[in-house]
Structures are given as structure tokens and as C-alpha cells.
Amino acid sequence: MTDIRQPLESFLPQLVEARDAGLSEAETVKRVTRFFEQVLGYDASKELSREKVVKGTFVDVAIKLGDEIPLLVEVVAARTPLQVDHIREARQAAARDNVPFILLTNGLAWNLYHVTLDEDLQIAVAFAADLASGVDDEVADLLALLHRDSVGQEGLNTFWEQRARLGPASLGRALFAPEVLQTIRARLLEAEAIRVDSRVLAAAIHEMLEAGARERMGPVQLQ
């Protein structure tokens, strides 16, 4: 993965200035375009363009590598909090052109969405990164996934595939495997003097999880 920490730290004052000055969406787009050029390694004249969606509307930036469009970028004004509704037009373009990723940013906050075209168009958060508190290793590594080399050499796709494998369904299958439940039962017996049936334990663990994770995981299915 390309190390972008130094150029990212050098460019950050321009993004902070954009927020502090309350730059408009059009001016923020210009800053973000320079960010893609100076920090993420894209050729602005060849690889960053606007892309028409429908009826005269455009996404702010389409990343083009050869004949492929791997990423669409929607930009909001520098002080605007990010909301998923901001990518409404980009979702139309993604559906039309089979684009796998949509990026939403105000310059400091960056939300990346993965687009799945099954029976219905579905989006899922791939990552969220925020530069408001400065540059740390985690934020630098996440934004480095957007570097031209990462996108062009399948680094971004690989990241998403690994992330998807760690989704609630996959983790649920691992968490409720017989050997895992047996280990937890043994630990409870040793530490708490509690004997508990595997089904009761699985239900208790499932209930502990956040509601959205439970919904995506589905009902407990013991192996």
C-alpha cells in the first residue's frame, strides 16, 4: 500500500481552511480534486472527470482508469455533515455503469460505500474516515486505499472482500460454532460455576449484540 501520510499531512491545512472558510460545494470540489491529484496520485486531466447521470445532473468526480470507472465521488460543501442521501445521483450512475464504489466527502470527512447490484441496488459502508482531528495511522491507511495504485491494482477491492468476510453473517457462523460455544461454557463453569446449555448460551450472546448486527446476522443456527 502506498504511504500517503506525508502528502496527506501537507495537504490537510487546505481542507481545514475550506471548513473554516465555509467554502461552497463548487469550491470544495476544487479542493477535493487537488487532493486526488496531489495526495492520491491521479492525473486530473485524464483520470478525474464529471459524469452525467440523468436529465442534466452530474456526479462531482468520476475516477477513470483506462476504460473502467471504479469509483464515483460526491462532494458536499465543506461544513456540511455527510448524509447517505447525498449520494442519490451517484447511486443512479453506479447502477447504470456497474461502478462498485461511491465516495462521499466534505474534504475532512470521507465515507466510502460499496455498491452491490443484485435484484435490488444495495449499498454498504466500506469505511468512514475523518481528518478533523488530524492524521493518524488508521485514517492514513484508509485513505491510502483510494490512491491510484491501490484502486488500479485491486487493493480497494481486496479490502472490501476482506471486510465483507468479517460481516455479521460470517462472524455469526464463527461465534456460534460448537467448539467456540464449548470454550465459553467451560470458562463460565470455571469462573462463575454456571452450567449452561449451548442453545441458551447462544441466545444470550445473540441478545447481547447490537440490534442492527442481529438483523444482518439473522437467527442463531447452531452447527
Side-chain angles (χ1 to χ4, degrees), residues 19-38:
R19 179 199 60 193
D20 294 345
L23 291 190
S24 66
E25 179 178 318
E27 291 301 316
T28 306
V29 170
K30 293 178 182 178
R31 297 275 172 118
V32 170
T33 300
R34 289 205 299 271
F35 181 90
F36 270 86
E37 185 176 21
Q38 296 177 24

Side-chain angles (χ1 to χ4, degrees), residues 51-107:
E51 188 73 5
K52 188 173 182 179
V53 184
V54 288
K55 297 181 180 179
T57 61
F58 291 80
V59 294
D60 292 311
V61 182
I63 304 298
K64 291 190 172 184
L65 297 178
D67 295 329
E68 301 294 324
I69 303 177
L71 177 66
L72 300 175
V73 184
E74 283 288 356
V75 182
V76 296
R79 287 182 179 172
T80 302
L82 304 186
Q83 299 179 12
V84 70
D85 191 54
H86 292 140
I87 64 170
R88 184 174 58 253
E89 284 84 9
R91 291 175 68 177
Q92 296 178 55
R96 183 196 66 199
D97 295 330
N98 198 26
V99 178
F101 293 99
I102 299 171
L103 180 69
L104 174 65
T105 183
N106 59 14

Side-chain angles (χ1 to χ4, degrees), residues 12 46 76 86 114 120 164 171 179 196:
L12 181 57
K46 298 178 181 178
V76 296
H86 292 140
H114 181 263
D120 297 314
L171 291 177
E179 58 272 22
V196 59

Side-chain angles (χ1 to χ4, degrees), residues 27 48 142 163 214:
E27 291 301 316
L48 307 178
L142 288 174
R163 180 82 176 230
R214 292 201 305 270

Side-chain angles (χ1 to χ4, degrees), residues 182-194:
Q182 181 57 38
T183 299
I184 298 174
R185 290 175 65 203
R187 177 59 180 163
L188 286 172
L189 180 59
E190 176 186 350
E192 306 293 340
I194 297 174

